[in-house]
Amino acid sequence: MRAISGLWRWRRNPLCRATDLAEAWVALAALLLILLVAPVAGFLVGGAAQDALQRSVREQHEARHLVTASVVRKLNPSPLDADPETSTGRDLRNRVLADWTAPDGTRRQGPVLASLKDPRQGDEFRIWTDRQGRLVARPLDAATASTHAVLAGFGAALAVGGLMEGGRRLIVWRMVRARYARWDQAWDKAGPDWGRTGTGS
């Protein structure tokens, strides 16, 4: 922002170097690109993600079905959950042997994680299956899909803004290096005796 405000201050200043003006113009161009391109990129990426995710939501809701399962018996916890610290998220889910009827009418039976506090034989609970009755994860809901799309758009806008700022910093860094190189050349021309008393006499 200082470089941009410098455009106004440097207009008629006799101490203004061409590089000062160039840096200010680069900063202004980067700011305008960030303000214009980043939101457009975020909007486009978010819109594309929203379309793809909502299509996935529709497909999942068509392919996955909520069916009623019945507890046959309670099973021992999975040996993979022997560590109590890893199973804290599943405290309210018990492993049971259950049977259910698939959407295509076939009978199925298998181990299931049931959201029952104290499962007993005959207790019923709901599970998600595909058309053949195989267990599947809960389908994505529209609100969650929209949230992911917004986050994708926001991330894309931040990434574009970061790239623009990185490009500005790289350009300014190269300009500063070129300025220092010109200063070194000027010092070399002045010679090693510059500033000594009696030089040139």
Side-chain angles (χ1 to χ4, degrees), residues 109-138:
Q109 188 176 80
V112 179
L113 284 174
S115 54
L116 299 170
K117 189 173 183 181
D118 185 23
R120 298 169 190 254
Q121 185 176 5
D123 287 350
E124 293 185 342
F125 59 99
R126 307 280 271 167
I127 58 173
W128 287 96
T129 70
D130 61 11
R131 289 188 180 91
Q132 291 74 39
R134 293 183 295 252
L135 293 173
V136 293
R138 176 194 300 268

Side-chain angles (χ1 to χ4, degrees), residues 2-145:
R2 282 180 305 184
I4 294 168
S5 64
L7 278 175
W8 183 259
R9 282 179 308 178
W10 288 120
R11 283 178 313 142
R12 295 188 188 96
N13 192 324
L15 297 177
C16 176
R17 298 170 297 191
T19 55
D20 295 325
L21 219 51
E23 285 179 28
W25 279 113
V26 166
L28 179 61
L31 178 64
L32 290 176
L33 284 173
I34 289 171
L35 293 177
L36 297 174
V37 176
V40 170
F43 178 78
L44 292 175
V45 170
Q50 174 76 346
D51 292 343
L53 288 170
Q54 292 301 334
R55 186 168 49 252
S56 178
V57 166
R58 287 191 298 274
E59 290 170 358
Q60 287 183 14
H61 278 277
E62 289 171 7
R64 300 178 188 188
H65 305 275
L66 195 58
V67 298
T68 301
S70 179
V71 175
V72 175
R73 71 175 189 273
K74 186 174 180 179
L75 298 174
N76 292 328
S78 169
L80 297 176
D81 287 341
D83 183 3
E85 291 183 12
T86 62
S87 59
T88 54
R90 302 185 199 177
D91 288 342
L92 300 177
R93 295 169 70 91
N94 288 293
R95 202 163 163 266
V96 299
L97 181 66
D99 57 11
W100 62 92
T101 303
D104 64 4
T106 58
R107 299 281 297 165
R108 292 277 184 164
Q109 188 176 80
V112 179
L113 284 174
S115 54
L116 299 170
K117 189 173 183 181
D118 185 23
R120 298 169 190 254
Q121 185 176 5
D123 287 350
E124 293 185 342
F125 59 99
R126 307 280 271 167
I127 58 173
W128 287 96
T129 70
D130 61 11
R131 289 188 180 91
Q132 291 74 39
R134 293 183 295 252
L135 293 173
V136 293
R138 176 194 300 268
L140 186 67
D141 62 274
T144 303

Side-chain angles (χ1 to χ4, degrees), residues 151-197:
L151 290 174
F154 187 67
L158 284 178
V160 169
L163 283 173
M164 298 291 179
E165 175 60 14
R168 181 196 71 81
R169 286 176 182 260
L170 179 63
I171 291 170
V172 169
W173 175 76
R174 291 184 66 110
M175 291 170 70
V176 168
R177 283 184 56 107
R179 182 190 308 153
Y180 288 160
R182 285 194 301 275
W183 285 354
D184 287 340
Q185 290 171 0
W187 278 109
D188 288 341
K189 286 179 185 175
D193 293 333
W194 183 86
R196 288 189 185 172
T197 307

